[in-house]
Amino acid sequence: TDPVDATEIAEVIMKNANRENAKGDDFFSLSARCYLDLLIWFLKIYEGGKYCTFPHLVELMGQDYRDVFDVLTKFDELEVKRNTFQDAIKDKAFEQLQGQIASARVPLNRFASKTLYWTLSGDDFSLEMNNPEEPKIICVGNNPRRQSVYGTTLAMLMSQLFKVINMPGKRHSAVLIDELPTIYIKGLDNLINTARSNRVAVVLGAQDKSQLIRDYDKKESDVIFNTAGNVFAGAVKGETAESLSKSFGKAERETRSYQEGDNGDHITYSYQFTDILPADRKSVV
């Protein structure tokens, strides 16, 4: 509904479609996001958005960029998003332009699938799962053999779903995500922060915090980990164990030492702050 939506969706697609460069902010990575952003917003404004679907985006991405830009230049609403590439066209820097577009085209080629196209076409399904008039349960799952393809699709779905359900006046609901690090979901920390007031419970599952750090980044994974109100953990180790230990804090504990001597036995009492839950403890938290 807004140009910013297209920018966010483009970021979600690229961070999931090309996980190796998910954290990259180099010229070509940013160009790939900008090109997706441009095409998504074009599909939105063209003929009322009836072609604004992921399958149409993939197919449009595969067309000759010269034909595509001939069409894009006819829409004044696209001027700002188009400027990133307009200078390269004017300067006839076609090799640079091809590299920019290929950075987006190559990761999206794998999404050309009839099954995926059929699933993501049409408008017969609403994401308003907590609509008081029509509540529903949405259950989706990934496929380990096609994780990069379905993971990206699920990430887009979840990112849009969060915007729809995290609103006041809706039915109480829950979001349950297992194996969270397998997909990158933009705005997850914001959902955890704000969803409580809108009666949305969020439950996240992961093997280890190190997976979050690998697939999100250190700063974002810390925010997600620390924002969660309750943590259930099994036998963890390393940085995850240390983080849990720190979250429990320290407590003053009494220690006693016993000494035997010729003049009698002595008991010495001392007090010191120690971890409530030591990092090397293996029991369930």
Side-chain angles (χ1 to χ4, degrees):
T1 57
D2 189 273
V4 176
D5 295 335
T7 303
E8 291 183 351
I9 294 172
E11 182 180 357
V12 170
I13 292 175
M14 291 310 302
K15 284 194 173 184
N16 283 275
N18 194 1
R19 298 300 292 271
E20 293 182 359
N21 297 325
K23 304 170 187 176
D25 287 326
D26 59 275
F27 175 74
F28 288 104
S29 295
L30 292 175
S31 296
R33 295 182 207 174
C34 290
Y35 190 57
L36 274 180
D37 182 7
L38 173 62
L39 296 187
I40 292 171
W41 192 242
F42 163 71
L43 290 173
K44 169 61 181 177
I45 65 176
Y46 182 71
E47 294 192 10
K50 66 179 182 180
Y51 301 114
C52 192
T53 71
F54 188 57
H56 284 94
L57 175 64
V58 175
E59 287 296 310
L60 182 60
M61 179 73 66
Q63 305 305 308
D64 190 309
Y65 72 91
R66 289 165 292 193
D67 296 334
V68 173
F69 275 100
D70 284 343
V71 176
L72 298 179
T73 52
K74 299 177 182 178
F75 293 84
D76 294 336
E77 303 97 316
L78 300 174
E79 182 177 0
V80 175
K81 294 180 181 291
R82 194 176 58 234
N83 283 342
T84 304
F85 308 95
Q86 202 66 38
D87 291 340
I89 296 176
K90 289 180 180 179
D91 297 337
K92 296 183 179 181
F94 297 118
E95 291 186 3
Q96 172 187 312
L97 185 61
Q98 288 175 351
Q100 291 176 275
I101 294 174
S103 298
R105 180 181 290 172
V106 172
L108 262 68
N109 283 341
R110 68 181 75 126
F111 295 96
S113 162
K114 290 183 179 180
T115 302
L116 197 63
Y117 283 7
W118 182 86
T119 304
L120 298 178
S121 299
D123 56 356
D124 54 344
F125 181 76
S126 169
L127 293 178
E128 288 188 280
M129 69 175 194
N130 56 350
N131 184 340
E133 303 300 324
E134 296 182 357
K136 62 173 70 75
I137 296 175
I138 300 176
C139 181
V140 293
N142 209 339
N143 185 335
R145 293 178 297 174
R146 301 182 178 92
Q147 183 169 304
S148 62
V149 175
Y150 293 142
T152 301
T153 308
L154 294 177
M156 286 192 296
L157 178 73
M158 299 301 290
S159 297
Q160 295 304 106
L161 176 67
F162 292 166
K163 294 181 180 180
V164 174
I165 66 174
N166 192 18
M167 299 178 64
K170 298 293 186 71
R171 186 184 180 92
H172 62 273
S173 57
V175 175
L176 312 176
I177 305 176
D178 193 18
E179 300 294 349
L180 173 64
T182 59
I183 59 175
Y184 174 83
I185 304 176
K186 184 175 178 59
L188 183 58
D189 56 332
N190 182 63
L191 178 73
I192 301 172
N193 286 328
T194 62
R196 295 186 187 96
S197 60
N198 293 324
R199 302 193 299 174
V200 179
V202 181
V203 181
L204 309 174
Q207 295 291 333
D208 193 85
K209 184 183 177 183
S210 59
Q211 290 182 317
L212 277 180
I213 297 174
R214 179 196 64 195
D215 295 323
Y216 283 70
D217 59 43
K218 173 66 173 167
K219 182 178 180 181
E220 193 166 0
S221 62
D222 283 344
V223 172
I224 294 173
F225 190 84
N226 295 330
T227 304
N230 301 285
V231 177
F232 296 85
V236 294
K237 56 185 179 181
E239 186 174 340
T240 305
E242 293 177 3
S243 297
L244 285 173
S245 178
K246 290 179 180 179
S247 68
F248 276 82
K250 297 179 180 293
E252 188 178 44
R253 298 182 186 275
E254 178 186 272
T255 60
R256 291 180 293 177
S257 60
Y258 181 78
Q259 293 179 330
E260 296 182 355
D262 296 336
N263 297 326
D265 299 337
H266 297 278
I267 299 178
T268 303
Y269 295 89
S270 62
Y271 298 87
Q272 59 182 348
F273 284 96
T274 59
D275 293 328
I276 295 176
L277 181 71
D280 58 354
R281 182 175 175 181
K282 300 300 182 181
S283 59
V284 176
V285 178

